[in-house]
Amino acid sequence: MKELKDYFCTPEQSQKLKELGFIFAPIGYFFNYEGRTLLSVNMDLSEEEDLRAPLRAQALDFFREKGYETIIEKYEAGYGYAIRFKVKKDTIIHLQGDFTPYEESESMLIDRLIEMELDKEVQDGN
């Protein structure tokens, strides 16, 4: 059975999404307690903007709005992700990811999309 934390981006992903300009209504917050990073959906830490924890579904919506088409598919070996996006008017790129459990595939997909957006910003000079 999935735990609540399985639906959220990691703290690292959350920070990188924030750097990319991702704005969302928070459902959860990360906070440090005795050296551990914990997730809470019961406390309002809205003044601590760095601690906002987006759902992975919210992150994927953010990338779909940027023009990425994504899918996670089931294969015999497990789950894998695919990303399709236009780089130019007539050029479409299709990428595939490794086979892993569903939650890991979803998280790997978000990591790859973040990496692609950060690379794009560097290439664009932002």
Side-chain angles (χ1 to χ4, degrees):
M1 175 177 268
K2 287 187 191 180
E3 294 182 35
L4 186 59
K5 67 180 178 66
D6 293 330
Y7 294 95
F8 288 88
C9 291
T10 66
E12 295 80 17
Q13 290 169 335
S14 300
Q15 183 60 39
K16 289 178 182 174
L17 286 164
K18 180 182 175 187
E19 292 169 17
L20 290 171
F22 178 45
I23 299 170
F24 59 97
I27 295 171
Y29 297 91
F30 290 111
F31 66 99
N32 290 316
Y33 178 73
E34 296 183 358
R36 294 176 50 207
T37 301
L38 303 175
L39 173 70
S40 174
V41 293
N42 296 324
M43 51 195 284
D44 182 10
L45 300 173
S46 53
E47 69 278 356
E48 301 288 343
E49 232 171 276
D50 296 10
L51 302 176
R52 291 180 178 196
L55 291 167
R56 287 199 305 254
Q58 290 174 301
L60 292 173
D61 284 346
F62 170 71
F63 287 110
R64 276 191 288 277
E65 289 171 7
K66 289 184 159 292
Y68 294 97
E69 294 176 27
T70 63
I71 188 168
I72 295 179
E73 297 178 297
K74 174 103 170 98
Y75 301 95
E76 275 186 42
Y79 290 90
Y81 68 80
I83 304 170
R84 183 180 156 172
F85 63 100
K86 286 185 180 181
V87 269
K88 294 182 182 170
K89 185 178 180 182
D90 56 350
T91 306
I92 295 175
I93 293 180
H94 184 81
L95 301 171
Q96 284 191 288
D98 297 332
F99 302 115
T100 61
Y102 183 86
E103 291 79 17
E104 288 179 36
S105 288
E106 197 172 46
S107 189
M108 287 171 53
L109 170 58
I110 291 168
D111 286 339
R112 184 69 173 122
L113 291 165
I114 289 170
E115 177 185 313
M116 292 166 61
E117 271 302 297
L118 289 173
D119 286 348
K120 189 169 109 180
E121 282 190 353
V122 169
Q123 291 173 5
D124 292 344
N126 296 334

